[in-house]
Amino acid sequence: MDDLLNDFLAETAEILAEAGGALVAWEADPADRAQLDAIFRLVHTIKGSSGFLSLPRVTALSHAAEDALDQVRRGNRAANAALVTAVLAIIDRLSLLCAALGTTGKEPQGDDSDVIGALAVIDDGPAAKVALAEPVAAPSDEEINAELQSWRSIRVPLPLLDSVMTGVTDIVLARNEFARLLRESGVDASVIASFDRLSDSIAGMRQSVSQMRMQRIDKLFSPLPRIVRDLAQDFGKKIRFSTSGGEVELDREMMENIRDPLIHIVRNAIDHGIEHLDERVAVGKGITASIDVSARQSGNQIEIVVRDDGRGLSPDALVAKAISARVIGAAEAKALTPREKLDLIFRPGFSTAAKVTSISGRGVGMDIVKANLEKIGGVVELRNEEGRGLTIVLRVPMTLTIISGLMVRASGQYFAIPRGSVREILLETSDSVRIDRVGGGELATVRGEQFPLLRLEHVLGSEIDASEDQDDRAIILVRPGQGHSYALSVAAIHDHEELVIKPAAPMIMATGLYAGTTLPDNGRPVLLLDVQGLLAAAGVDASEAGRSHDASAEAAAEAAAARNAAQLLLFRDVGGRTRGVRLSVIERVEEVPAAALFESAGVVQAQIGADIFAVHAAVVPSGPEAVKLLRLHDGHSVLCYPIDAVIDIVRLPDAVQPAPAPGLIAGVVLIGGEPVELIDPFWLMAQYGAGQTPSLQRQPLCRLSDDADGWADNFLAPILRHAGYRVISGGEAVEGERPDVQLYLADGPVAPVAGDVPLVRLRSSVAATGPDDDSIYRYDRGALLEALRIRVAGAS
């Protein structure tokens, strides 16, 4: 029974991790029937296994989730956020039960009626009404079991896999040494043929054993969507999360070592990398932030990139924070380069968080991430764009593995290059090769095709050995994992071998030039070159084929273009169409009662405060109790445009298909692959501009008193400004003016008000303290605005 329980816990842990990510993906697209069916099968598997092991709590939880999902599959229940949240709660409770099972060996006592009961909650709000696919009959238990049994596997302990991998490694090294002895002894051809058959068998066995420990990296990515969803809700942020490269394979042990650093980086980005909504709008960014996690393989290394479009890092702010935290001294700070300023984030005890939270701010962060990566031969790199976002690159060895390598020589030292990255090998003296100097670099032309030429000695910081025969110098056309090919010049080419690759020392891996170390058949350690790292270290852009390229200048130009680009407010109008208008012409988005709109002289108008504005509408909108209006402003006049909802703020594309004639629609652009009509504010203001100048009367001045906890600044002030009041706090003053009204926020007696300023007193409780209590409940908006209007009118 212990073996069965261990197998159940291992399988269930994988299922729960996969189900969490699948649920978040399904929430974004509830009509995805395939995703729903996959989640149903996962939960069904847990229910079946737990019932066999007599785990009543696990069975009840999984059965409740399965039943709710089956109702959606049959079309009897709508998919909504409440359902997804309830099923996620079931997943969390199952994880806790499995953790207890793994510790004690038995299911703990407890009551799960709270999370099971949450599945019965049905959210009837507009956001929850999602169109589902046509319901189909649920598959039978026999069909589900047949599908689950279509692929069989056996669980093997990791120590046993390590032992097998070590044995195969020794066999490969012995094979290499035996091959060298056979070449030197000049044995009969039949012996060589027999050895070749043995070598092929060893190669096949090596490939199979290497794949045993490999897992797709999407197993590492699977918990991230849930983490992003939960933290985004906690912080009130809108985040679009995406992953790519999930098909890349990584050693299981290596994956376990980088799981925590990756999760820490993603949580850090959400906490204080991504700005709050108002900050993003203020700097012209879209309301929805983005975090992208991608993976790719380069030789024997895996590169994981975490990119966000948040505020990035401020080098000067990092230095100031480091000095205040006494991480460095002022004298040391003055000598820091821009790169060293960014690297301050890796100092122990350093944090950029403004305050301590459950996510960050305790000074235990990026230094631990860097230390954990260096333990396994990995490196971490920062690519910062202040104000635009931060990219963190993690480079880790793929595995302790065996690859086919090409041995080369430069400056008397031997190096290895992955055979899969070699496109062609030529001699420099070949008639098909021409080498030219272009600016400060060299360009190799091979049969009419041009490649940037790198000399390995120069990239490694050494000199070309004059004693070596220059006629033997060879050119290797290298095809890196990304980008264009380039030419690598070396002193000589030697034989290719099957190489056992291990991580090199952290200081060596940190150079970015090497992907690991190996031990060929001669017994001398050799470094494996990182073909992508060589190109980066040489500072050459292969896509430009020898032309000079200033990456920093280009980045600065792109940043300037982004800052100067026009911003477009996307909205859904009252007819349900998606349209856009330049953000710069919008004064504000107003929400007014439907009763504030009326028709006069054939024109729909809106009363907002003491002003009346024209509204672009043929008839007075009917239906909703409140109407959203875009207030378009040209510096003199205001025009209101009714809408249904604001969608997002995006960059206005350069390509605009103009309208055939002047009118409401200026043209059409593509946003996210979908056509969006552009409103023409020039045409609109021309139709309605005359006589619509807003009132120039003085706005009343309102003082907020006794705001110790900041409630009035955060909650009340926006309401008052929206209603047409100017607002000052505490001891603030406006020269030459006295407040028209004063709001007092304390319960109980009120101190005398200087200057006989009309007073409105707010209380925190709903009910008044007695018949003489003239205070107003602070969340009674209507009574508050009416009291202010009466006080201001009485004082004037």
Side-chain angles (χ1 to χ4, degrees), residues 1-17:
M1 182 61 72
D2 288 343
D3 291 338
L4 288 176
L5 181 60
N6 288 335
D7 290 344
F8 167 78
L9 292 176
E11 181 183 26
T12 303
E14 294 177 0
I15 290 175
L16 293 176

Side-chain angles (χ1 to χ4, degrees), residues 378-400:
V379 294
V380 57
E381 175 188 342
L382 301 178
R383 298 173 184 170
N384 181 55
E385 294 180 273
E386 187 175 352
R388 298 182 60 191
L390 177 67
T391 300
I392 300 179
V393 182
L394 310 178
R395 291 192 181 91
V396 296
M398 182 172 65
T399 183
L400 172 65

Side-chain angles (χ1 to χ4, degrees), residues 89-132:
I90 294 283
I91 298 298
D92 290 341
R93 184 64 58 84
L94 287 171
S95 297
L96 292 174
L97 291 178
C98 289
L101 273 168
T103 302
T104 64
K106 59 181 181 180
E107 189 178 66
Q109 298 295 321
D111 181 18
D112 303 309
S113 59
D114 53 341
V115 291
I116 293 176
L119 286 169
V121 177
I122 300 178
D123 183 1
D124 292 325
K129 295 179 180 179
V130 182
L132 296 176

Side-chain angles (χ1 to χ4, degrees), residues 506-777:
M507 292 186 64
I508 294 176
M509 299 295 288
T511 64
L513 299 173
Y514 309 106
T517 183
T518 184
L519 192 69
D521 58 17
N522 60 16
R524 297 176 57 186
V526 168
L527 289 169
L528 178 70
L529 296 171
D530 184 340
V531 293
Q532 189 76 40
L534 292 177
L535 194 62
V540 176
D541 184 355
S543 65
E544 294 296 326
R547 290 165 49 188
S548 62
H549 182 75
D550 188 349
S552 61
E554 180 179 336
E558 290 180 356
R563 287 192 297 269
N564 297 329
Q567 301 296 311
L568 191 69
L569 178 75
L570 292 183
F571 62 89
R572 184 170 57 252
D573 69 6
V574 291
R577 291 163 296 190
T578 300
R579 287 176 169 173
V581 65
R582 286 177 178 265
L583 187 63
S584 56
V585 304
I586 299 175
E587 182 182 44
R588 72 177 67 166
V589 179
E590 194 98 48
E591 183 169 315
V592 300
L597 275 66
F598 61 94
E599 184 177 350
S600 175
V603 177
V604 179
Q605 302 183 71
Q607 179 184 354
I608 303 176
D611 298 311
I612 296 177
F613 302 105
V615 179
H616 178 72
V619 296
V620 176
S622 60
E625 297 180 357
V627 179
K628 288 187 176 67
L629 300 174
L630 294 181
R631 286 180 57 164
L632 310 181
H633 190 258
D634 65 355
H636 298 281
S637 302
V638 172
L639 174 65
C640 296
Y641 189 101
I643 66 172
D644 179 53
V646 173
I647 299 175
D648 203 350
I649 298 174
V650 299
R651 181 181 181 274
L652 177 64
D654 297 327
V656 178
Q657 179 66 38
L664 174 64
I665 305 302
V668 179
V669 296
L670 289 177
I671 304 293
E674 298 294 330
V676 173
E677 293 180 331
L678 294 182
I679 299 298
D680 186 349
F682 183 91
W683 183 87
L684 273 174
M685 300 304 290
Q687 306 302 310
Y688 294 90
Q692 300 302 323
T693 303
S695 171
L696 299 179
Q697 68 183 23
R698 172 183 173 274
Q699 291 181 304
L701 182 62
C702 180
R703 181 193 296 280
L704 307 179
S705 299
D706 197 31
D707 185 24
D709 58 1
W711 179 85
D713 277 339
N714 294 319
F715 287 80
L716 188 56
I719 301 298
L720 298 179
R721 293 190 181 99
H722 190 271
Y725 292 87
R726 291 176 297 155
V727 180
I728 57 176
S729 301
E732 295 179 3
V734 177
E735 186 176 354
E737 292 188 62
R738 73 161 197 171
D740 296 279
V741 65
Q742 178 161 319
L743 281 167
Y744 198 83
L745 307 179
D747 295 318
V750 180
V753 181
D756 196 25
V757 176
L759 177 70
V760 175
R761 188 163 63 90
L762 302 182
R763 64 175 184 270
S764 57
S765 59
V766 177
T769 58
D772 297 330
D773 187 356
D774 63 349
S775 62
I776 298 172
Y777 177 46

